[in-house]
Amino acid sequence: LLLATLATTVAFQPSASRAARGRALAATTTLQSLLETMKDYGPVRAICILPGAGAILEASSDASQWTLNESTTPTGKRLLTAAAPDKGFELHLDVDRVARATLGTSPKTGGPICRIMDAEGAGLLTLLPRKGSSFVADVVGELGEEVTLSS
């Protein structure tokens, strides 16, 4: 139950600059552009919680080294892969399932957080850029706290 709750709860706090921006927080970008942005704020910790399976996977990677490639599987799924040069880290996301992301500050760590979700709001992946980086000021300041991810 706890894992399912964690997977569907948006764990972020709005940035302090929200009111100062005085604009709608409905930016749109692509998943590839969002992951490309992570390259400047690494290392990035990737967390995937499998609801009902009793498993959590956490891995850190030097995002500045990621190559991003989109491919189509034999079944027709479009996957965006972020991979380290040595393939010691690979992350695959179903481009057609990803719908939005929330950006902000994690109440648990006090560092930046990016939650990638599907259309129903279920968490698919949490990315934690380097704590102490300017991710919140730069990326949240530009895109806002909720981003629609277009294909």
Side-chain angles (χ1 to χ4, degrees):
L1 178 61
L2 177 59
L3 290 177
T5 303
L6 287 172
T8 58
T9 301
V10 178
F12 80 99
Q13 294 177 344
S15 67
S17 63
R18 179 178 183 171
R21 282 194 312 274
R23 61 178 174 82
L25 300 178
T28 299
T29 192
T30 64
L31 177 61
Q32 184 157 349
S33 292
L34 184 62
L35 292 183
E36 189 73 40
T37 299
M38 293 293 164
K39 290 182 173 189
D40 294 331
Y41 304 98
V44 172
R45 186 165 197 80
I47 303 169
C48 183
I49 299 171
L50 303 175
I56 299 172
L57 175 64
E58 296 188 34
S60 291
S61 176
D62 179 359
S64 70
Q65 299 296 309
W66 287 354
T67 57
L68 300 174
N69 293 302
E70 189 174 310
S71 61
T72 303
T73 69
T75 61
K77 280 189 180 181
R78 291 187 313 139
L79 297 178
L80 179 62
T81 299
D86 66 358
K87 304 296 185 201
F89 176 88
E90 286 190 22
L91 168 66
H92 309 279
L93 286 162
D94 184 337
V95 174
D96 296 319
R97 185 153 177 217
V98 168
R100 65 187 179 103
T102 57
L103 310 170
T105 301
S106 167
K108 182 177 178 183
T109 68
I113 187 169
C114 171
R115 298 266 335 251
I116 298 173
M117 294 172 277
D118 67 13
E120 288 77 42
L124 302 174
L125 179 69
T126 299
L127 298 171
L128 301 176
R130 182 181 72 253
K131 194 172 180 178
S133 71
S134 60
F135 178 84
V136 172
D138 297 346
V139 179
V140 179
E142 179 183 334
L143 295 176
E145 293 145 351
E146 185 164 327
V147 180
T148 300
L149 297 171
S150 62
S151 0

